[in-house]
Every structure is written in structure tokens, then in C-alpha cells.
């Protein structure tokens, strides 16, 4: 059972749709044509050259004017853009003009009419001997050019010759004449047309040469445009795969055309000027032959006392021979030329008639019928009335229509025999008793709007893009309960973009557990609903589409009674930009349109969901909002309890990273690779994005519509996003290879910096050493060692880089129960000695590997540091005792000599005493230990060498500070005492001095050597 009882849900047969609404309108029978005919408003003007004034008339006025045409003004043009109904009017005329034995009617259709076919149509009515000769000429000429490829090549070559011989017109401006001369020269367009490399582009299937040849040999197809074929500027913007293979002249003119739009316009104009004679030459018949044929026919008909009526469905099919046609139809009878009266009604696009017709046509034009209404004209026209006649015809069927036509009865109204007529018309609407099902006025208007250009009514588009697809494709969908289909929405979605314009409205129309039904309900409300928001429609619509209503939604008829004959608001008709008057007006909407106070980003999300279009600034802002929400769920830390910005930096050493610009994508090619991908077709993701935009604008969920539910939705989705980011961002906890290499590299740095914990054996101390601040470095008395340490403490150096990388692997907050930001157990495992030699995992960025490798090299290449330490440390093995004791003996000697007046003025005894006081008791031992370590250098490990290099150098510096002036004082005294006579006292002091010198002699040499090597430092 269906909503129509035992009858199918659809009240027509799908196969009738293409029969009633074919692509080529003239292929239907006269009965079907008249059954579907609707009067359309036409503007009647008396003057050809006037764009103002005129009267709104219908097709019957056109018929009367044709029947009263004066002999000296035999032409009636029907103007309008493509698809506005010009051909329809010509056919209507052909059917409705009263038969007249004195009139010979020639109808020239626009489709499938070749050049030969056109001429043979005319020749059918000619009986003279001259006509027989013309028939033979037409047959011979057409047969000679029957091959399409040959005709294309000949037409190309003929154009090259004609442009070169006739193209340099001298009637333009001096500048234009110069350009014409260039293009008409052998090095200009002729070179381009003849070049084999450019041949493929010039003879392309969609190019003017191929199209024109096809038309002349086979006639226009339904897919061909109404405008006359010819060259456009775009046809001459040529490019080829390898221009180097083209001729020099051809490549040069192609380059000039590509860079100069006005030059392309002129070149197209010059080629079009020669199309007529070129066609005549290639096909053997041209405009002069057509003129001669028509003149001969008119002479023949005059002799028979007949007149000629020529109905031309599309004037552009005479392209190439139109000059002969114009000459023939503008030729009036004279005393010497006895021509029969001739009337011509021709459908022609407005642009062609205005811009390309000669003045003689204007003087022979009686009236102009224009399907494009000007801004100051309105006319009653109801799109629903137009559609209803086709809907009824499809329901009745072509055979039944033709049967009634044969019996001269009106076509039946199929709705009269329908068991649900009353409720169907009440729900879906009707026009003069013909129901609009499966459309309604609202649905029809939105579907038409989606297929309109500039919001205008184009009859052909309504028929072939709206009515035919639905009636043919969706009949099965209706019968099987799948309507409105996804195809319906895809075809007409742009006509209802402002309906259910946000994802939350769509969610309210869901049936849980049945996504297909939910989607159909959304489509139904979007196209058939009179308001803007979620609602139940008329119960019959729900029943017809097998879509149950929802209990918590308002129903359309509870608010406004149904008005079956009320059309949608007026819209421009048949290519016009002027709205027509439509009465009565549409009923008000059930729900108001969305509030204007909606935040900008929320509106941007709604538009994006509907159209997929999102400006870059809104895209960036939305990514930042999502990024902030996910960061809050991730809990990324810097290892010290604070958020780390390193997680969101896009540097190579921090890959993979999570930053708004590259890790989050809204549509686009990166949907499959980004950490978070949001597609405008994914309802749930769009809901979350929209809600985040709301709360970002309002600052609180309390101020967001349905804030409680949306907050929960956002929290859950943000956590899901965070989990997916975590899975990519963080390596497996089982993979500690990188962590081990990083930890040991940092440990080497800490050892080089002399951090005490780094030399301890327990792992916790070592972990502390990885991030410990280095001790304050001494004055740069050892430049190589200072340079090594300075490199490591630089904030931009390897230590900082590896510390950040290590924290990324160990400082992720992994839930309650982890009191430290750093995952200490994992890091301690990485401190095992065997972890230092583990191979690098493949995912580790190259900057990290390089930094660790550089550290290893610098902390093992310590020979320069050894050399400068060796020079710094004095040899105190022969000092003969503690430095303090030796210093005390020297001070006593110097004091006594000073008392006897034997001291030298160059000896600074107070300074020497102060230097001696600065030497600590342990200094000599430390210097001795350092010396022993340096002696054992070849046998030390890398860690032992680093530790030795970090031993305190200050003891050696203090001894040196005292030793240098002490040796100098001893030397001065020795020289002074040796210069005078010896005495008992002097001998006693001399012996003391000798003992002192013996103890200091070796130390003196070491210090002096060092001083010499250090450059006096």
C-alpha cells in the first residue's frame, strides 16, 4: 500500500518524461507540443533601433502581425537569449497559422539541418528548369566536401589565403590598420594557420573550424549554442606542448596574441570576416548561390500566383552564407523583377541581430518581438502554471494526448481520476485543477532558482534541468520510499541554501538509528518547507514521501492554513532582469529567518557547511579555536609543570608537531594527512566547530543556544581529537631507543660542563644532571675548554635543543597518579649504559641526530684541552716541601736582608707576602693530582678525561701567582750578593739562599717555561 492506496506512489510513468520533455523540443508531436504550451510574455516594439517602449503581448499577437505583414516590410525578428523560447514561438506559429493554398511555407529547423538540407528545403518548392540546375550543383558541391577532415583542412587553408589577400582593411584607425597589416602578412595569421605544430589547437573538436564544418555537413546538435559559430579571442590564446618545434613566424605571432588581448580580438574579427567566402569556396556553394536560389524560387512562385512564408528557427545556422539570405529576403519586387511576396519570421539572438545585421534588414523589419523584458515592463507569469502543463502531460502520456488531439478533444486532466486528488492538491498545491506533486510551489521555486542564471526564468533550463530529471529519475525513488533522493538535493541545493542553514537545525530533524530517513527529512523540509527552521510539513507530504513527522516539532498547518494557489514571490522571466507581477502573493513563512545577531564565525561555519566555501581569514580563526580546545585536553607540558610551546612549533626538530596552521585542516587536499581533519560534509564535526565558534564569541556556554548539550558534545569530540593527536604526536612508550641516545648525549654535555651529578653512578643523579644549571665558568685562562663549555650553555645550542626533544618524549601528562611532569621511571630506564649505543629510530628528525652526533665528537676530541692544561700546571715535585713553608723561609730572608740594607728596590715584599697567603694548604696536592692525571692521559676513558679537564685550575693559578715574583726576588738577591765582598754573615745567608734556590730551581724553570709559552699571560 502507498499513500495512493493500491496505486503506485508516483502518478506517472518515468519513460514519459523524456518523451514529453525531449532535449530537442521540435521532436515532440504537435499534440504534445500544444498540450504543454504556455503563453509567455513578449515585448512588441515597432522600431528595431529602440530599446525603450513597447507593449506586452502574447503569441496570438505575433500570429496576427505575421498574417498582416506589408510587402515592403517582410521581416519579423523574434529576439532573446538562448533558451528563452524563440524556437518555441516559431513552432507555435507553424502549427497555428491558418492554411492558405496561396502560400508556400518553408520551415528551417535549427537542429540536424545541414547546408545541403537547408538548400534542398528551399528547392522542394521550385519547379523551374533553373531550379533543376541548382539541385545538381548543390548535390555535387555537398558530395565534394562530405569528408569532415578534408573540409576542416580546406577551410583552414582557405582562411589563411583570404586573410592574407583581403585582411589588410584600410578603413580603420591608423593603429588598427597597422595591426591588420601585421596580422594579414605572411608572417602573421597565415603563418599560424599553416603551421603543423599549432594545427592540433586550431582544429580541436570544440574549436570554430571543426564546429562550423560539422554544422554545414550535419547540422547543429542539441548541445550546440544558438550564437553563430565563429572565432573568439579565446580561440586564439594558443599554447602548444613544444613551441620550439613550431615555425619562427608562427611562434612569434602566437606569442604576440597570447600577451595582447586587443590583438586577439582584432585577429578573431579578421578571421570571421573571411568565414563566408571561405565556406563558399570549401563547400562549393555560398551566399550568392543561396540568393540566386531564393530569387529563382520567388520568380517561380510568382508565375504560379503564390507567396512565400519563411520560418527560420535559428538564423545562426546560415553562418557563412547569411549574406545571400539577407540579400534575398530584403529584395523587393520591381517591374523588371517579378518576385512573389515573401514574409520572413526568424528567431535570432539579440546580440547577433543588433551587432551583425546590415542596415537593410532594419529598413525591411515590420515589428520586433522581444522575449527580454526591459526594466520598466512587467507581465503576469506564473512558473507553476508553466510547469503544471508539463506535469499533467507526463501523467497523461504522449499516446493518450495524441489520441485526444486526433479526435479534436482537449487533453484530459489526469488528476480527476486520482483517489487522493483533494488532499494532494491541498498539500502540494495545484494550478487550474492540475496538481504540482511531487513539487509544491515552494519546492518548484527553489529548484528553478538553483538552475537559473542571475535569478531569471529560462524555460529550457526549467524543462531540462528541473522537471525532466525529477520526473524521469525520481519516479522509482518515490515508489520505493527513497524520495527526496540525494540526486534531488545535489541538483537543486543552491536554490535552498538559506533553508535549514545550520547543522543544529538538521540535527533536530534526525530519526535516531536511521540516517537515510534523517537525510530525506532534512531534504523535504529544506525544499518543501515554507519556513527557515525545523518543522513538520503538511501531513500529506509526510505520507506521500513515507517520512514520519516528529512529535516535538511545530507543524506547518498548525500555524498557517494551506493556500493551494498561492505562488512563490515573483522572479524575472525568460532571461529578463525584471520581475513579473504574480498574484496572489506568497503566504508568510512559518518560522522567521535566522537572527542577524549570529556571530560572524558561526555564520561562516553555516555557509561552509552549505557551500564548502570558507574565506582564509575565517579558516585561520576556526583552526585556532579548535587548536586551543584540543590543547586543553592534551595537557602538554614542558617538564616543569607548565605548558610547552615546543609542541606547537613547526620546526623540523619538533616533528611531529601540533600547530593550528598545519595540523588542522578544514576540507582541502590535506584531509587525509592532517592530525585533525574536519570536512564540511561531516555533520558531527561541523556541529562541534559551530558550537566552538559560538562559545568563542560569547565567552560562556550559558550564552550559546542549547549550550548544555553542545558543551558536552564539544568536550567529548575535543577529547577524541586529542586522543588521535596523541597517537601520532608521541612515540610508543616501548620505544626508548631515541630517549636513550638523547639522555646519554645530554649526560656527556653535563660532564663537559663539570656538573657533579653527572659523574655519580645512580640514575636519579644522572637524570638531575641532564637539566642542572652549569657551574659558573672561571676566567678564560684555558680558551679551548672555555669554548667547549660556552657552546653547550648557549640557549640556541645543542643542549637546549636536545633537552626540549627529551621533554617531548617524557613530560606528557598521562593521568592522575603521576605527580611529576617528567615520566621519571621511563627516563631512568633510558640512563642505562647500554642505551648509549642503541641505533637511532627512523622517525627521529635529522637535526636531532646531528646535534647528538656533534656532542659526541666534541666531548671526545679533547687533545687541545690537554695541551693547554699541561702548560698551565707547574711541576712541583722538587719544591722540597709545602709551598707555605718555602714561602715563609723566603719572606724571612727578604725581611732580614732588608733590615741590613741588603735588599733590592725591585722586590715588592708586601705583594710577595700577599701572594703567599693566597696559596691554600691543599693547592700543592691538587696540582700534584692534576699532574698525575695528565701523565696518565693515554690510558683514560672519555669520561675520565672530561672529569680531569673539569678539575679546579685555581690551585695552579694561585701557586703560579706567588711563584713568579718569588723566583724573580731570588734571582735579584743572588745577583746582588755575588757582586760584593764575602763576609761571615753573607756566607751564612748565601748558604740559606742556595738551599732556597735548590728547592725552587725546577719550579722556576717550569713557571718560566709556561710564562714563555703563554705569551706572558
Amino acid at each position: 500500500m502507498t499513500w495512493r492506496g493500491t496505486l503506485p506512489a508516483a502518478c506517472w510513468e518515468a519513460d514519459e518524461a523524456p518523451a514529453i520533455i525531449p532535449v530537442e523540443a521540435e521532436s515532440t508531436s504537435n499534440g504534445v507540443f500544444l498540450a504543454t504550451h504556455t503563453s509567455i510574455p513578449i515585448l512588441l516594439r515597432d522600431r528595431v533601433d529602440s530599446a525603450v517602449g513597447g507593449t506586452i503581448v502574447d503569441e496570438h499577437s505575433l500570429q496576427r502581425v505575421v498574417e498582416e505583414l506589408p510587402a515592403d516590410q517582410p521581416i519579423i525578428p523574434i529576439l532573446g537569449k538562448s533558451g528563452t523560447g524563440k524556437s518555441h514561438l516559431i513552432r507555435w506559429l507553424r502549427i497555428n497559422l491558418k492554411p492558405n493554398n496561396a502560400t508556400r511555407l518553408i520551415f528551417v529547423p535549427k537542429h540536424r539541418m545541414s547546408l545541403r538540407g537547408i538548400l534542398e528545403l528551399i528547392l522542394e518548392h521550385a519547379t523551374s528548369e533553373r531550379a533543376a540546375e541548382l539541385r545538381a550543383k548543390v548535390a555535387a558541391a555537398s558530395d565534394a566536401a562530405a569528408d569532415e577532415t578534408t573540409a576542416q583542412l580546406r577551410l583552414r587553408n582557405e582562411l589563411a589565403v583570404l586573410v592574407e589577400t583581403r585582411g589588410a582593411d584600410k578603413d580603420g584607425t591608423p593603429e588598427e590598420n597597422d595591426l591588420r597589416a601585421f596580422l594579414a602578412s605572411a608572417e602573421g595569421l597565415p603563418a599560424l594557420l599553416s603551421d603543423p605544430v599549432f594545427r592540433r589547437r586550431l582544429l580541436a573538436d570544440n574549436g570554430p573550424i571543426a564546429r562550423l564544418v560539422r554544422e554545414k555537413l550535419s547540422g547543429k546538435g542539441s548541445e550546440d549554442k544558438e550564437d553563430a559559430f565563429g572565432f573568439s579571442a579565446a580561440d586564439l590564446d594558443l599554447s602548444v606542448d613544444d613551441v620550439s618545434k613550431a615555425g619562427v613566424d608562427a611562434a612569434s605571432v602566437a606569442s604576440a596574441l597570447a600577451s595582447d588581448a586587443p590583438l586577439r580580438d582584432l585577429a578573431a574579427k579578421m578571421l570571421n570576416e573571411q568565414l563566408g567566402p571561405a565556406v563558399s569556396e570549401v563547400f562549393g556553394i555560398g551566399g550568392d548561390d543561396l540568393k540566386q536560389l531564393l530569387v529563382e524560387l520567388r520568380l517561380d512562385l510568382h508565375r504560379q500566383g503564390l507567396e512565400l512564408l519563411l520560418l527560420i528557427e535559428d538564423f545562426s545556422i546560415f553562418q557563412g552564407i547569411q549574406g545571400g539570405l539577407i540579400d534575398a529576403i530584403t529584395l523587393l519586387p520591381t517591374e523588371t523583377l517579378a518576385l512573389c511576396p515573401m514574409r520572413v519570421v526568424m528567431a535570432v539572438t539579440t546580440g547577433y541581430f543588433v551587432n551583425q545585421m546590415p542596415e537593410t534588414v532594419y529598413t525591411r523589419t515590420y515589428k520586433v518581438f522581444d522575449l527580454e523584458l526591459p526594466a520598466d515592463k512587467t507581465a503576469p507569469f506564473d512558473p507553476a502554471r508553466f510547469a503544471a502543463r508539463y506535469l499533467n502531460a507526463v501523467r497523461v502520456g504522449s499516446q493518450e494526448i495524441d489520441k485526444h488531439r486526433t479526435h479534436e478533444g482537449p487533453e484530459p486532466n489526469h488528476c480527476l481520476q486520482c483517489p487522493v486528488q483533494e488532499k494532494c492538491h491541498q498539500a502540494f498545491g495545484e494550478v487550474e485543477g492540475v496538481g504540482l506533486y511531487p513539487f509544491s510551489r515552494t519546492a518548484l521555486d527553489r529548484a528553478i532558482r538553483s538552475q537559473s542564471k542571475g535569478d531569471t526564468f529560462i524555460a529550457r533550463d526549467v524543462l531540462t534541468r528541473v522537471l525532466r530529471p525529477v520526473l524521469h529519475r525520481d519516479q522509482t525513488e518515490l515508489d520505493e520510499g527513497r524520495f527526496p533522493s540525494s540526486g534531488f538535493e545535489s541538483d537543486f541545493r543552491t536554490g535552498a541554501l538559506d533553508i535549514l542553514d545550520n547543522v543544529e537545525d538538521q540535527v533536530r530533524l534526525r530519526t535516531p538509528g536511521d540516517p537515510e530517513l534523517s537525510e530525506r527529512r532534512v531534504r523535504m523540509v529544506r525544499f518543501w518547507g515554507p519556513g527557515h527552521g525545523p518543522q513538520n510539513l503538511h501531513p500529506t507530504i509526510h505520507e506521500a514521501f513515507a517520512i514520519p513527522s516528529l512529535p516535538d516539532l511545530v507543524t506547518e498547518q498548525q500555524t498557517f492554513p494551506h493556500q493551494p494557489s498561492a505562488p512563490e514571490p515573483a522572479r524575472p522571466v525568460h532571461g529578463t532582469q525584471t520581475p513579473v507581477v504574480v498574484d496572489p502573493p506568497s503566504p508568510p513563512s512559518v518560522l522567521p529567518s535566522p537572527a542577524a545577531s549570529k556571530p560572524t564565525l558561526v555564520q561562516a561555519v553555516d555557509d561552509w557547511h552549505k557551500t564548502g566555501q570558507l574565506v582564509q581569514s575565517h579558516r585561520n580563526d576556526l583552526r585556532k579555536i579548535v587548536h586551543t580546545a584540543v590543547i586543553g585536553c592534551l595537557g602538554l607540558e614542558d617538564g616543569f609543570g607548565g605548558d610547552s610551546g615546543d609542541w606547537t612549533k613547526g620546526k623540523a626538530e619538533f616533528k611531529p608537531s601540533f600547530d593550528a596552521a598545519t595540523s588542522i585542516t578544514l576540507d582541502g587536499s590535506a584531509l587525509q594527512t592532517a592530525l585533525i581533519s574536519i570536512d564540511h560534509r561531516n555533520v558531527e564535526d561541523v556541529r562541534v566547530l559551530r558550537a566552538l565558534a559560538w562559545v568563542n564569541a560569547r565567552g560562556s556556554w550559558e550564552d550559546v543556544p542549547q549550550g548544555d548539550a553542545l558543551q558536552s558534545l564539544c568536550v567529548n569530540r575535543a577529547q577524541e581529537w586529542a586522543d588521535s593527536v596523541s597517537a601520532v604526536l608521541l612515540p610508543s612508550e616501548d620505544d626508548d631507543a631515541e630517549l636513550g641516545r638523547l639522555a646519554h648525549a645530554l649526560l656527556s654535555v653535563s660532564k663537559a660542563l663539570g656538573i657533579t651529578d653527572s659523574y655519580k653512578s645512580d640514575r636519579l643523579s644522572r637524570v638531575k644532571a641532564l637539566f642542572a644549571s652549569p657551574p659558573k665558568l672561571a676566567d678564560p685562562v684555558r680558551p679551548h675548554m672555555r669554548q667547549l663549555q660556552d657552546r653547550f650553555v648557549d640557549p640556541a645550542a645543542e643542549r637546549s635543543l636536545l633537552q626540549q626533544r627529551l621533554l617531548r618524549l617524557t613530560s606528557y601528562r598521562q593521568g592522575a597518579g603521576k605527580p611529576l611532569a617528567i615520566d621519571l621511571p621511563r627516563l631512568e630506564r633510558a640512563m642505562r649504559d647500554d642505551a648509549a649505543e642503541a641505533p637511532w629510530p627512523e622517525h627521529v628528525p635529522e637535526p636531532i641526530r646531528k646535534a647528538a652526533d656533534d656532542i659526541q665528537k666534541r666531548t671526545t676530541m679533547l687533545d687541545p684541552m690537554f695541551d693547554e692544561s699541561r702548560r698551565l700546571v707547574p711541576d712541583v715535585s722538587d719544591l722540597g716541601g709545602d709551598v707555605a713553608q718555602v714561602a715563609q723561609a723566603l719572606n724571612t730572608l727578604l725581611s732580614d736582608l732588608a733590615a741590613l740594607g741588603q735588599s733590592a728596590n725591585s722586590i715588592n715584599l708586601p705583594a710577595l707576602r700577599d701572594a703567599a697567603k693566597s696559596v691554600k694548604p691543599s693547592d700543592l696536592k691538587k696540582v700534584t693530582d692534576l699532574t698525575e692525571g695528565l701523565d696518565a692521559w693515554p690510558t683514560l676513558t672519555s669520561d675520565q678525561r672530561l672529569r680531569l679537564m673539569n678539575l679546579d685550575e685555581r690551585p695552579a693559578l694561585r701557586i703560579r701567582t706567588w711563584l713568579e715574583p718569588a723566583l724573580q726576588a731570588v734571582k735579584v738577591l743572588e745577583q746582588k750578593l755575588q757582586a760584593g765582598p764575602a763576609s761571615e754573615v753573607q756566607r751564612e745567608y748565601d748558604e740559606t739562599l742556595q738551599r732556597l734556590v735548590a728547592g725552587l730551581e725546577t719550579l722556576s724553570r717550569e713557571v718560566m717555561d709556561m710564562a714563555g709559552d703563554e705569551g706572558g699571560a
Side-chain angles (χ1 to χ4, degrees):
M1 296 288 289
T2 70
W3 76 292
R4 299 176 68 229
T6 58
L7 296 176
C11 52
W12 68 91
E13 296 295 333
D15 291 342
E16 290 294 341
I20 300 295
I21 314 173
V23 175
E24 298 177 12
E26 67 271 12
S27 63
T28 61
S29 66
N30 286 345
V32 170
F33 178 86
L34 293 174
T36 56
H37 170 71
T38 301
S39 291
I40 54 179
I42 312 170
L43 181 66
L44 170 61
R45 293 200 306 268
D46 293 332
R47 295 182 55 187
V48 176
D49 57 351
S50 175
V52 297
T55 305
I56 300 296
V57 298
D58 60 15
E59 64 273 25
H60 297 285
S61 296
L62 171 64
Q63 179 181 349
R64 288 192 295 272
V65 169
V66 171
E67 292 171 343
E68 67 182 26
L69 267 178
D72 60 345
Q73 289 182 300
I75 299 174
I76 296 178
I78 300 176
L79 307 182
K81 293 180 180 179
S82 176
T84 53
K86 302 185 300 296
S87 300
H88 185 93
L89 282 178
I90 293 291
R91 185 173 184 188
W92 185 90
L93 271 178
R94 184 163 62 94
I95 295 174
N96 286 276
L97 285 172
K98 297 176 182 179
N100 185 342
N101 292 333
T103 301
R104 292 292 179 266
L105 187 150
I106 300 177
F107 169 63
V108 183
K110 67 177 179 180
H111 290 146
R112 313 305 172 198
M113 184 57 61
S114 66
L115 178 59
R116 177 173 180 172
I118 293 171
L119 299 177
E120 288 178 344
L121 267 179
I122 298 172
L123 284 166
E124 283 182 9
H125 301 276
T127 60
S128 65
E129 294 182 3
R130 177 61 179 154
E133 296 176 5
L134 289 172
R135 285 192 187 91
K137 181 178 180 179
V138 168
S142 298
D143 291 341
D147 179 66
E148 222 174 282
T149 301
T150 301
Q152 289 179 17
L153 294 174
R154 289 183 60 195
L155 184 59
R156 180 191 64 162
N157 296 339
E158 192 63 32
L159 283 171
V161 172
L162 290 172
V163 167
E164 185 171 355
T165 57
R166 304 181 185 179
D169 195 319
K170 301 299 182 181
D171 293 337
T173 64
E175 181 182 3
E176 180 179 335
N177 290 338
D178 289 342
L179 293 175
R180 277 183 172 270
F182 162 66
L183 292 173
S185 68
E187 296 79 21
L189 288 176
L192 187 68
L193 289 165
S194 304
D195 189 85
V197 173
F198 286 96
R199 166 180 170 164
R200 179 178 61 84
R201 286 293 309 277
L202 290 167
L203 299 181
D205 286 343
N206 61 342
I209 291 178
R211 290 180 302 181
L212 186 61
V213 167
R214 279 198 304 271
E215 180 189 310
K216 297 311 168 193
L217 294 179
S218 306
K220 276 190 175 183
S222 59
E223 70 283 356
D224 289 329
K225 61 181 183 179
E226 288 188 22
D227 293 333
F229 287 148
F231 285 89
S232 67
D235 294 321
L236 297 174
D237 191 0
L238 301 170
S239 62
V240 293
D241 294 335
D242 190 355
V243 72
S244 64
K245 295 182 180 179
V248 175
D249 293 336
S252 176
V253 72
S255 176
L257 290 170
S259 60
D260 190 342
L263 187 65
R264 291 197 299 274
D265 290 333
L266 178 60
K269 179 180 178 181
M270 291 173 62
L271 288 167
N272 290 332
E273 289 170 351
Q274 307 307 324
L275 271 181
V279 167
S280 176
E281 187 66 29
V282 171
F283 293 94
I285 45 178
D288 291 341
D289 295 304
L290 178 59
K291 176 182 178 180
Q292 186 179 12
L293 192 158
L294 279 170
V295 169
E296 181 61 31
L297 175 60
R298 293 182 67 184
L299 290 170
D300 192 8
L301 293 179
H302 175 75
R303 288 190 291 269
Q304 301 176 54
L306 303 175
E307 65 177 15
L308 178 62
L309 173 59
L310 188 60
L311 301 181
I312 302 174
E313 196 173 29
D314 182 3
F315 187 83
S316 70
I317 68 172
F318 289 91
Q319 174 77 2
I321 58 173
Q322 70 271 25
L325 176 62
I326 292 172
D327 288 346
I329 64 178
T330 56
L331 190 62
L332 298 178
T334 64
E335 292 182 1
T336 58
L337 189 63
L339 302 174
C340 77
M342 180 180 182
R343 293 173 291 166
V344 179
V345 183
M346 57 182 175
V348 57
T349 58
T350 305
Y352 188 93
F353 186 80
V354 171
N355 299 321
Q356 299 191 40
M357 287 293 186
E359 183 67 26
T360 52
V361 172
Y362 296 162
T363 61
R364 300 289 190 269
T365 296
Y366 178 49
K367 304 282 186 181
V368 175
F369 289 83
D370 197 339
L371 294 178
E372 296 185 61
L373 304 185
D376 60 341
K377 297 293 181 180
T378 60
F381 180 79
D382 184 2
R385 187 183 305 276
F386 173 85
R389 295 190 66 83
Y390 284 91
L391 291 171
N392 184 63
V394 171
R395 294 175 189 137
V396 173
S398 56
Q399 291 185 355
E400 192 70 16
I401 290 174
D402 288 339
K403 182 172 70 175
H404 282 79
R405 173 74 177 174
T406 302
H407 297 115
E408 297 185 352
E411 64 276 359
N413 180 354
H414 190 270
C415 290
L416 296 178
Q417 61 187 20
C418 180
V420 294
Q421 175 193 13
E422 183 177 355
K423 67 177 185 178
C424 177
H425 289 188
Q426 184 182 17
F428 290 95
E430 51 81 26
V431 177
E432 297 177 352
V434 175
L436 298 178
Y437 171 77
F439 297 97
S440 64
R441 285 186 178 274
T442 301
L444 185 63
D445 181 75
R446 290 169 186 170
I448 291 173
R449 183 185 300 123
S450 72
Q451 303 301 316
S452 299
K453 301 171 184 177
D455 201 29
T456 59
F457 184 95
I458 304 295
R460 179 190 298 165
D461 292 343
V462 173
L463 294 175
T464 60
R465 297 181 182 180
V466 178
L467 297 183
R468 174 170 164 156
V470 173
L471 298 176
H472 185 251
R473 175 195 62 206
D474 290 334
Q475 185 252 13
T476 302
E477 306 290 337
L478 267 165
D479 283 345
E480 297 180 358
R482 299 195 303 269
F483 188 80
S485 64
S486 58
F488 187 98
E489 180 177 42
S490 177
D491 285 349
F492 310 128
R493 62 182 303 275
T494 58
L497 290 178
D498 56 338
I499 311 300
L500 296 179
D501 66 343
N502 71 74
V503 69
E504 291 305 320
D505 284 348
Q506 299 169 30
V507 169
R508 293 183 61 196
L509 293 170
R510 284 180 174 176
T511 294
D514 195 337
E516 188 272 340
L517 177 61
S518 300
E519 291 173 2
R520 289 199 298 120
R521 184 181 287 109
V522 168
R523 295 177 199 132
M524 177 186 69
V525 175
R526 175 171 282 158
F527 289 97
W528 280 261
H532 288 274
Q535 58 191 288
N536 289 323
L537 306 186
H538 192 287
T540 299
I541 297 180
H542 284 271
E543 181 185 5
F545 295 163
I547 300 175
S549 58
L550 295 176
D552 59 339
L553 293 180
V554 64
T555 299
E556 169 197 346
Q557 67 176 9
Q558 292 174 350
T559 307
F560 294 101
H562 185 74
Q563 299 181 22
S565 295
E568 286 290 317
R571 62 170 55 253
V573 180
H574 297 295
T576 73
Q577 299 299 319
T578 306
V580 296
V581 175
V582 183
D583 293 315
S586 297
S589 298
V590 171
L591 297 176
S593 59
S597 60
K598 185 189 300 182
T600 301
L601 279 183
V602 175
Q603 184 61 56
V605 173
D606 289 341
D607 294 341
W608 177 60
H609 181 50
K610 290 181 294 185
T611 67
Q613 303 298 315
L614 188 63
V615 299
Q616 191 61 44
S617 60
H618 292 160
R619 188 182 301 272
N620 293 339
D621 291 341
L622 289 168
R623 279 194 282 214
K624 292 176 183 177
I625 292 172
V626 172
H627 185 263
T628 301
V630 175
I631 284 289
C633 295
L634 282 173
L636 303 173
E637 297 190 358
D638 60 8
F640 306 102
D643 292 335
S644 173
D646 295 330
W647 294 94
T648 59
K649 293 178 180 177
K651 296 180 180 179
E653 58 267 26
F654 296 131
K655 296 293 185 181
S657 60
F658 180 57
D659 69 298
T662 61
S663 300
I664 301 171
T665 183
L666 309 180
D667 286 344
S669 59
L671 272 177
Q672 302 302 319
T673 58
L675 296 183
I676 295 178
S677 300
I678 303 177
D679 192 328
H680 77 279
R681 295 162 296 187
N682 185 309
V683 171
E684 293 305 312
D685 280 357
V686 172
R687 290 186 70 197
V688 173
L689 189 64
R690 186 176 189 273
L692 291 174
W694 260 112
V695 75
N696 180 73
R698 294 293 185 256
S700 169
W701 286 108
E702 295 179 356
D703 298 325
V704 176
Q706 305 177 51
D708 291 343
L710 291 178
Q711 182 180 15
S712 177
L713 177 70
C714 289
V715 168
N716 293 335
R717 190 63 177 124
Q719 186 59 58
E720 292 175 7
W721 281 334
D723 292 342
S724 65
V725 169
S726 299
V728 176
L729 210 59
L730 300 176
S732 169
E733 290 194 15
D734 296 332
D735 181 11
D736 286 335
E738 179 188 0
L739 193 57
R741 292 296 297 267
L742 291 172
H744 281 278
L746 285 170
L747 190 62
S748 295
V749 174
S750 298
K751 291 175 179 178
L753 292 172
I755 296 173
T756 304
D757 280 339
S758 65
Y759 292 102
K760 295 180 180 179
S761 59
D762 65 288
R763 294 176 185 173
L764 181 56
S765 295
R766 290 184 170 193
V767 169
K768 293 179 180 179
L770 303 184
F771 302 98
S773 299
K776 184 177 181 181
L777 301 178
D779 292 334
V781 295
R782 290 186 295 163
H784 289 290
M785 190 63 188
R786 181 60 182 267
Q787 183 180 5
L788 174 67
Q789 294 177 328
D790 282 344
R791 178 71 179 271
F792 289 143
V793 297
D794 184 349
E798 290 90 345
R799 188 187 194 215
S800 176
L801 175 64
L802 296 189
Q803 284 175 334
Q804 294 173 41
R805 181 74 183 183
L806 184 140
L807 288 172
R808 285 173 63 86
L809 304 181
T810 60
S811 64
Y812 181 64
R813 183 186 301 152
Q814 300 182 41
K818 292 278 188 177
L820 296 180
I822 295 178
D823 188 343
L824 192 57
R826 186 177 180 211
L827 189 52
E828 287 180 341
R829 289 196 304 271
M831 299 304 300
R832 298 190 310 267
D833 291 339
D834 59 349
E837 301 302 326
W840 285 109
E842 292 183 2
H843 66 265
V844 180
E846 182 59 29
I848 298 298
R849 301 188 192 202
K850 184 177 184 303
D853 291 343
D854 288 347
I855 287 173
Q856 184 179 12
K857 290 177 183 178
R858 283 201 297 276
T859 54
T860 56
M861 299 176 63
L862 301 175
D863 288 344
M865 292 70 158
F866 168 80
D867 293 338
E868 64 186 7
S869 294
R870 176 65 81 183
R871 289 192 297 269
L872 172 65
V873 179
D875 183 0
V876 295
S877 59
D878 297 330
L879 191 57
D882 187 85
V883 173
Q885 296 174 353
V886 176
Q888 180 62 37
L890 178 60
N891 290 339
T892 300
L893 174 62
L894 293 175
S895 298
D896 291 347
L897 289 175
L900 297 172
Q902 297 296 320
S903 180
N905 293 331
S906 62
I907 298 174
N908 187 342
L909 183 56
L912 195 59
R913 288 174 178 170
D914 291 340
K917 291 179 181 179
S918 68
V919 178
K920 298 181 179 179
S922 61
D923 285 353
L924 183 59
K925 175 67 169 59
K926 291 179 178 179
V927 170
T928 301
D929 292 343
L930 181 56
T931 301
E932 291 173 354
L934 293 173
D935 291 341
W937 183 265
T939 65
L940 301 181
T941 65
S942 294
D943 282 358
Q944 290 172 330
R945 290 181 177 184
L946 277 174
R947 189 164 193 176
L948 184 65
M949 291 298 96
N950 277 288
L951 289 179
D952 192 357
E953 73 240 29
R954 288 174 294 181
L957 291 174
R958 288 193 292 268
I959 291 176
R960 175 182 170 186
T961 301
W962 165 77
L963 185 57
E964 287 181 352
L967 290 175
Q968 184 64 28
V970 170
K971 190 176 292 185
V972 170
L973 288 176
E974 184 180 30
Q975 292 173 354
K976 183 175 180 61
L977 294 173
Q978 288 175 353
S983 68
E984 190 65 27
V985 176
Q986 289 174 332
R987 281 194 298 272
E988 182 180 347
Y989 278 100
D990 186 50
E991 292 173 359
T992 303
L993 180 61
Q994 287 177 356
R995 289 195 302 271
L996 177 62
V997 171
L1000 298 177
E1001 190 175 35
T1002 303
L1003 183 58
S1004 175
R1005 284 197 303 272
E1006 292 291 339
V1007 173
M1008 295 306 294
D1009 289 344
M1010 181 195 68
D1013 290 343
E1014 294 292 328

